[in-house]
Amino acid sequence: MLDMESVPPPYQEVQPHWFFCRRAEDSTSWHPFSREDSDKLENAFITAKDEEEDVRVAVDGERYDVHVKERKRYAVYWEQAPTEVRRCTWFFKGDKDTQYMPYPEDLSTSLEEAYMIAVTLDEWKRKLDFPTGETVILHNPKLMMHYKPIQLQDEWVSSPSEQTRPCTVKRGVDKIFVEIPDGEPEKIDHLVFMVHGIGPACDLRFRSIIQCVNDFRSASLSLLATHYKRAQQDGQVGRVEFLPVNWHSALHGDATGVDEDIQRITLPSISRLRHFTNDTLLDLFFYNSPTYCQTIVDTVASEINKLHALFKQRHPEFEGDVSVTGHSLEHSSPNNDSLEQMLTRMGLQQYLSTLQAEKLDLESLALCQDCDLRDLGIPLGPRKKILNYIKRRWLPEVSPVAQSITSAVDYEYFDVGIGQVSIDYPQLAFHPQTFFAFGSPIGMFLTVRGLKRIDPNYSFPTCKSFYNIYHPYDPVAYRIEPMIVSEVDLEPMLIPHHKGRKRMHLELKDSLTRMSMDLKNNVLGSLRTAWQSFTRLPVAALPPLEEAGTTNETNTEAESSAEQMEQPEITMGMLNGGRRIDYVLQEKPIESFNEYLFAIQSHVCYWESEDTALLLLKEIYDKLGVALEQPQQ
């Protein structure tokens, strides 16, 4: 009988996978596209062979375009140098390398041809010489090595063999250890623009806003897969798109010349620290400069509108809402009424045709005086209403909050107060659903401007939801709720850990405190009852997660309801639609040891915070009628 093991396996063409390159100052790394994107690129590659024009393929959630023939990947929504793309089939790795590197496509083709001949003829130990003097030997199907040329060794080299150790060669992406990322759902449910506050770097690793938003997006995709798994499987949930808004370059560098001016007056000592200060803390002063604050506001608004238009162009089927996230000093004035909306709000819509006949919009109306409106035949009462509204709109930092606040500063006589600038706020092309503030000093800014209290009836006219999210050790963050409800000492809402409940060390601390107080006051009357107080669940910002079919569900709900009943009924006002505004993250155990050591890190922790990302997702999907699920542990 024929020995089947002696028959060589038939040759099968290698399956390619597409990679893109990332180059840093001292390193080069190659990263695989998702299987879906790689298949799209391969199909386009096959189709484009006979075409003269290049073919573009949208990848990575359509945030990049790959020019297939050029083999380059271009960013769509931000400025970034194009990166090399490669159709990869063969890989190599040295002893000291941490990952396999793909061969250039022409060398991979040569290796594949040699491999095909070796398999077909069952003749191995085939040698392939590269023009660089390097050699690959196909010893057998499972052992293929890449040998670098032996250099002329001088007398100082004691061990030449270490200089010539071969690299391991692998055929096909399935033979190397590489994690191919999951593809992103095509359906986009919501769009979030993320604006950072100060400096070109967003965290202690000096990463850009683009890199930090990439991390936040990845965290949200992972949480959707765990906390909205069934909804995703049922087609109720797709994904949330997060896009970075970069305004820093418009204020620094050649755009304004201010960096060069500042450099001339900067002291030469401790240069690295001063460079960091010039790049970051300097932006704090720009916020309070009429010249540069106007540049910031114009740039942020125009960049958001440009990105919004580009997103709608690339996703014409998108019908979801849009939200804005501001980190640090970046805060929102989402007042983008039209002339008709303004007049309707005041009950003066009968004067719309009069103003439109004179080609007046909100911006030109802001330049009008009382006599101008009188000449148009508008009575005194409506004139005063219109001028008062316009004055408040074009000084949004003073008003409409200032109208309902007892203040030591008389804004009737001061256009510019303490840290107060008078600027024109451009309109956004949409009404934000929610504004999320990360580590924001808005409360401090309002207070030092002399604003004592925010009227509970005040809300953003075009943005109905507002969350003030912060880390407890963030030195830049301030609360908002005490400015609305000053008569009650109210703790902020605790953001739950994304895996449920509190972090263990905080839960233990709270439980021990409760047990100690219960025993001290002899309220419970027995150690057994005291032990029950030790083990009961803490109150969290979000309702208990679903645990369908568990026997503890009733007890958990009862305990949670009992504790919630202990909380005082608070009317928080309309800034967040009557809901709570201040939300605090739980510190990690190591951060509890030294609050000062982790203070700066706490200000930039939000980009990688899964707890923060889950709070955003819950707010977004609650409004879409999709409930949070308990992940499988």
Side-chain angles (χ1 to χ4, degrees):
M1 293 181 65
L2 181 66
D3 185 358
M4 297 302 295
E5 292 186 1
S6 65
V7 177
Y11 168 76
Q12 290 183 337
E13 189 176 355
V14 64
Q15 294 301 310
H17 195 95
W18 291 71
F19 282 63
F20 65 92
C21 181
R22 282 184 184 150
R23 299 189 189 278
E25 293 181 0
D26 55 350
S27 65
T28 298
S29 58
W30 287 86
H31 303 267
F33 287 100
S34 69
R35 294 197 184 278
E36 292 87 346
D37 284 346
S38 181
D39 289 344
K40 285 195 295 184
L41 290 167
E42 183 65 15
N43 292 334
F45 165 76
I46 295 171
T47 305
K49 281 182 178 180
D50 301 326
E51 297 182 10
E52 293 184 5
E53 293 186 3
D54 205 345
V55 178
R56 294 186 182 185
V57 176
V59 296
D60 294 333
E62 298 199 26
R63 293 179 296 275
Y64 290 89
D65 281 338
V66 170
H67 296 201
V68 176
K69 286 192 173 182
E70 188 189 4
R71 297 293 199 272
K72 291 289 179 66
R73 183 185 74 143
Y74 291 86
V76 172
Y77 296 104
W78 52 81
E79 294 294 327
Q80 180 179 321
T83 54
E84 183 184 351
V85 168
R86 191 173 289 179
R87 182 177 182 264
C88 303
T89 52
W90 285 74
F91 305 83
F92 68 93
K93 182 174 80 72
D95 283 348
K96 296 182 179 179
D97 295 333
T98 57
Q99 62 179 2
Y100 280 89
M101 298 283 285
Y103 279 103
E105 292 186 37
D106 57 342
L107 298 184
S108 290
T109 300
S110 300
L111 285 166
E112 183 66 16
E113 289 174 354
Y115 179 86
M116 178 183 65
I117 295 172
V119 171
T120 304
L121 301 179
D122 195 23
E123 294 179 1
W124 294 95
K125 301 191 183 303
R126 300 190 71 85
K127 183 178 178 183
L128 191 69
D129 293 321
F130 290 161
T132 57
E134 297 170 276
T135 301
V136 172
I137 298 180
L138 309 181
H139 294 284
N140 59 58
K142 296 182 179 180
L143 180 62
M144 297 175 281
M145 307 300 291
H146 181 139
Y147 298 89
K148 296 182 179 180
I150 301 176
Q151 304 293 334
L152 293 174
Q153 308 295 338
D154 58 35
E155 57 183 347
W156 299 104
V157 178
S158 58
S159 179
S161 62
E162 291 186 4
Q163 305 296 320
T164 58
R165 283 184 177 174
C167 297
T168 303
V169 177
K170 295 292 184 182
R171 175 182 181 264
V173 71
D174 57 324
K175 295 295 194 299
I176 64 174
F177 297 102
V178 61
E179 185 177 353
I180 297 176
D182 294 328
E184 299 179 22
E186 290 187 10
K187 178 171 169 279
I188 299 176
D189 305 316
H190 197 91
L191 172 62
V192 180
F193 293 111
M194 307 195 82
V195 191
H196 76 107
I198 55 174
C202 289
D203 65 6
L204 296 184
R205 285 177 279 170
F206 295 92
R207 297 185 306 159
S208 68
I209 177 69
I210 297 167
Q211 294 169 300
C212 290
V213 173
N214 284 346
D215 270 359
F216 198 90
R217 187 188 304 108
S218 297
S220 77
L221 288 169
S222 297
L223 289 166
L224 284 172
T226 54
H227 291 68
Y228 292 89
K229 183 177 181 179
R230 283 177 294 181
Q232 272 197 339
Q233 292 172 344
D234 295 342
Q236 290 180 281
V237 165
R239 65 183 173 95
V240 177
E241 180 61 283
F242 296 89
L243 294 181
V245 180
N246 187 11
W247 56 266
H248 189 267
S249 57
L251 193 65
H252 295 264
D254 299 333
T256 62
V258 68
D259 283 45
E260 185 178 345
D261 296 337
I262 292 294
Q263 191 56 43
R264 284 200 296 268
I265 62 175
T266 300
L267 301 183
S269 59
I270 52 174
S271 59
R272 292 191 66 182
L273 179 59
R274 294 190 192 278
H275 176 72
F276 176 80
T277 303
N278 288 353
D279 254 359
T280 54
L281 299 183
L282 194 62
D283 286 345
L284 174 62
F285 301 106
F286 285 161
Y287 274 87
N288 295 313
S289 159
T291 302
Y292 297 116
C293 187
Q294 185 68 62
T295 302
I296 292 174
V297 171
D298 288 344
T299 304
V300 170
S302 63
E303 185 69 11
I304 289 177
N305 284 340
K306 182 188 78 173
L307 293 174
H308 182 260
L310 184 56
F311 178 84
K312 292 286 287 183
Q313 177 187 335
R314 293 178 68 88
H315 300 275
E317 75 289 348
F318 176 73
E319 297 179 352
D321 288 313
V322 185
S323 293
V324 177
T325 295
H327 176 235
S328 188
L329 297 175
E330 194 61 50
H331 59 280
S332 172
S333 294
N335 191 344
N336 49 5
D337 283 1
S338 66
L339 178 64
E340 183 177 2
Q341 289 170 325
M342 178 201 78
L343 293 173
T344 302
R345 182 172 283 111
M346 294 186 291
L348 303 175
Q349 54 266 46
Q350 66 266 37
Y351 299 107
L352 177 62
S353 58
T354 303
L355 297 175
Q356 288 178 335
E358 298 294 326
K359 306 295 184 184
L360 287 171
D361 57 14
L362 287 176
E363 188 172 354
S364 55
L365 198 57
L367 303 174
C368 291
Q369 299 178 356
D370 183 79
C371 58
D372 299 318
L373 298 182
R374 183 181 61 206
D375 292 343
L376 294 177
I378 299 177
L380 177 62
R383 291 201 310 266
K384 293 298 183 184
K385 282 186 178 181
I386 293 171
L387 291 173
N388 184 52
Y389 183 94
I390 289 295
K391 177 184 176 182
R392 291 189 290 116
R393 186 193 183 282
W394 295 104
L395 290 176
E397 307 259 349
V398 178
S399 175
V401 180
Q403 271 206 323
S404 57
I405 289 176
T406 305
S407 172
V409 181
D410 187 353
Y411 288 106
E412 285 293 317
Y413 299 96
F414 293 96
D415 284 342
V416 181
I418 301 173
Q420 177 76 38
V421 294
S422 176
I423 57 174
D424 294 342
Y425 277 80
Q427 295 186 24
L428 295 180
F430 57 90
H431 289 181
Q433 175 180 283
T434 308
F435 173 54
F436 300 98
F438 291 173
S440 171
I442 294 176
M444 182 269 289
F445 269 60
L446 294 175
T447 301
V448 299
R449 289 169 184 169
L451 308 181
K452 301 288 186 183
R453 184 170 178 269
I454 299 175
D455 191 310
N457 294 322
Y458 171 69
S459 65
F460 293 130
T462 58
C463 181
K464 300 306 180 186
S465 300
F466 170 51
Y467 286 82
N468 184 41
I469 299 168
Y470 59 92
H471 190 283
Y473 301 155
D474 188 342
V476 179
Y478 289 81
R479 292 193 63 184
I480 294 292
E481 290 177 346
M483 298 186 70
I484 302 173
V485 184
S486 56
E487 64 276 6
V488 179
D489 185 13
L490 190 64
E491 291 293 323
M493 294 296 286
L494 184 69
I495 300 176
H497 192 267
H498 62 281
K499 294 183 179 178
R501 299 173 62 104
K502 287 186 181 180
R503 291 184 183 271
M504 186 174 293
H505 71 290
L506 292 178
E507 191 170 321
L508 180 62
K509 182 173 69 174
D510 289 352
S511 298
L512 287 173
T513 302
R514 278 199 305 268
M515 179 179 176
S516 174
M517 290 300 296
D518 288 344
L519 288 173
K520 180 179 178 181
N521 298 330
N522 198 25
V523 172
L524 303 181
S526 74
L527 184 60
R528 179 181 178 183
T529 317
W531 176 254
Q532 291 174 350
S533 78
F534 174 80
T535 56
R536 70 182 178 228
L537 292 175
V539 176
L542 305 183
L545 299 177
E546 295 180 23
E547 287 192 80
T550 61
T551 55
N552 295 329
E553 183 175 0
T554 305
N555 292 338
T556 299
E557 290 180 355
E559 289 171 357
S560 298
S561 300
E563 295 216 4
Q564 287 169 355
M565 289 175 61
E566 296 173 10
Q567 305 299 310
E569 289 290 334
I570 299 296
T571 302
M572 191 45 66
M574 299 311 297
L575 193 56
N576 192 23
R579 297 173 298 170
R580 295 293 300 273
I581 298 165
D582 291 337
Y583 286 78
V584 61
L585 287 164
Q586 302 177 40
E587 73 270 19
K588 298 175 182 177
I590 191 173
E591 293 170 343
S592 303
F593 291 117
N594 193 323
E595 299 177 7
Y596 298 98
L597 180 64
F598 290 96
I600 300 300
Q601 180 176 320
S602 298
H603 182 57
V604 293
C605 72
Y606 310 99
W607 304 111
E608 296 178 346
S609 169
E610 292 171 301
D611 299 351
T612 303
L614 186 58
L615 182 64
L616 265 67
L617 293 177
K618 184 179 186 301
E619 163 68 12
I620 289 168
Y621 282 106
D622 275 357
K623 282 185 165 59
L624 294 174
V626 182
L628 196 69
E629 301 167 13
Q630 171 66 51
Q632 296 296 321
Q633 298 295 335

